[in-house]
Amino acid sequence: EAQVTQNPRYLITVTGKKLTVTCSQNMNHEYMSWYRQDPGLGLRQIYYSMNVEVTDKGDVPEGYKVSRKEKRNFPLILESPSPNQTSLYFCASSLGLADLQYFGPGTRLTVT
Amino acid sequence: AQKITQTQPGMFVQEKEAVTLDCTYDTSDPSYGLFWYKQPSSGEMIFLIYQGSYDQQNATEGRYSLNFQKARKSANLVISASQLGDSAMYFCAMREGWDNNDMRFGAGTRLTVKP
């Protein structure tokens, strides 16, 4: 089954404790992205990747890092989480730029 | 500046009627793609329909159609014969150019279908 998986689905952590949210897709897609969703703001893109070792900043990259060492994985790293990073995070992938994006189920992160 | 504007925070529609969800966009790039996504209460994002800036005809997918008015920079989603299961948040999104994966989303419209 074609899918994008994210782990963990839910995470409560404390300020400053490094964390990684994993994202994996099994469709051999080149394009992957991370978004955060906040009430009234829709989805905002954090980082995206066009291929292995090719990443670029989206709309709101501050406080986040990503890596793309393999085509299927695109982890999101918060080196020092802060409460303003409390949000719902989505990973997405697509085959091409004009193709639909497949979204992961979302990760709800709370930073206290 | 907002790239994607959805002016309707919430909409109501009677079951079996059609509804139009508004979306306007802002870009100076002649090449772009417009997307609509549905997010039910369960939280997942579901792709609905895509319109390319050079597409001559309005996109249609089943009960979904996109009313693309390029000169007005609008890409409204039309849902025909609404069903109770259409109750959800709907997001309009745009990708500019063909050399990046930078996507911008609107704030969304919450649609409620009344029985």
Side-chain angles (χ1 to χ4, degrees):
Chain A
E1 179 191 353
Q3 60 182 357
V4 179
T5 55
Q6 292 178 231
N7 281 292
R9 294 289 314 279
Y10 303 91
L11 179 61
I12 301 173
T13 190
V14 295
T15 300
K17 187 176 181 181
K18 181 179 178 180
L19 67 92
T20 299
V21 184
T22 64
C23 173
S24 183
Q25 50 94 5
N26 62 359
M27 296 166 280
N28 203 36
H29 285 172
E30 289 192 355
Y31 302 97
M32 297 186 76
S33 296
W34 274 104
Y35 299 90
R36 60 178 289 174
Q37 183 178 11
D38 302 289
L41 297 176
L43 279 78
R44 292 179 293 167
Q45 194 171 43
I46 302 170
Y47 269 93
Y48 62 87
S49 170
M50 306 274 279
N51 211 329
V52 175
E53 302 291 4
V54 181
T55 63
D56 211 341
K57 295 177 181 178
D59 205 17
V60 287
E62 295 77 21
Y64 305 94
K65 285 174 56 178
V66 292
S67 70
R68 188 92 182 272
K69 292 183 169 47
E70 310 163 276
K71 202 170 188 179
R72 63 182 293 128
N73 296 323
F74 190 44
L76 179 70
I77 303 154
L78 285 73
E79 293 273 2
S80 183
S82 61
N84 65 12
Q85 292 178 299
T86 292
S87 187
L88 177 59
Y89 291 85
F90 285 99
C91 179
S93 75
S94 64
L95 184 61
L97 290 174
D99 294 310
L100 71 95
Q101 289 193 90
Y102 290 83
F103 280 79
T107 295
R108 188 163 292 283
L109 172 67
T110 302
V111 183
T112 61
Chain B
Q2 282 281 60
K3 294 272 188 176
I4 295 284
T5 303
Q6 294 180 252
T7 57
Q8 306 152 315
M11 287 279 287
F12 290 88
V13 65
Q14 206 66 37
E15 193 178 8
K16 298 179 185 170
E17 292 186 351
V19 63
T20 298
L21 306 183
D22 294 343
C23 173
T24 57
Y25 58 92
D26 180 27
T27 181
S28 56
D29 195 320
S31 301
Y32 52 90
L34 297 158
F35 303 78
W36 275 94
Y37 288 87
K38 172 184 178 181
Q39 186 180 41
S41 57
S42 52
E44 74 265 35
M45 294 288 287
I46 303 166
F47 167 78
L48 296 178
I49 197 164
Y50 166 80
Q51 179 86 41
S53 60
Y54 295 115
D55 293 344
Q56 294 296 313
Q57 295 193 331
N58 287 347
T60 61
E61 287 286 347
R63 292 186 299 110
Y64 305 108
S65 61
L66 201 151
N67 184 2
F68 182 43
Q69 298 188 45
K70 198 169 182 177
R72 294 187 179 183
K73 294 187 177 178
S74 75
N76 299 339
L77 176 71
V78 180
I79 305 174
S80 62
S82 298
Q83 302 172 355
L84 295 178
D86 293 335
S87 293
M89 280 289 286
Y90 288 82
F91 293 98
C92 179
M94 176 177 66
R95 174 186 285 129
E96 295 175 280
W98 297 112
D99 60 353
N100 70 85
N101 196 23
D102 189 359
M103 287 275 284
R104 299 298 176 100
F105 282 74
T109 295
R110 181 169 297 282
L111 176 67
T112 302
V113 180
K114 294 180 174 180

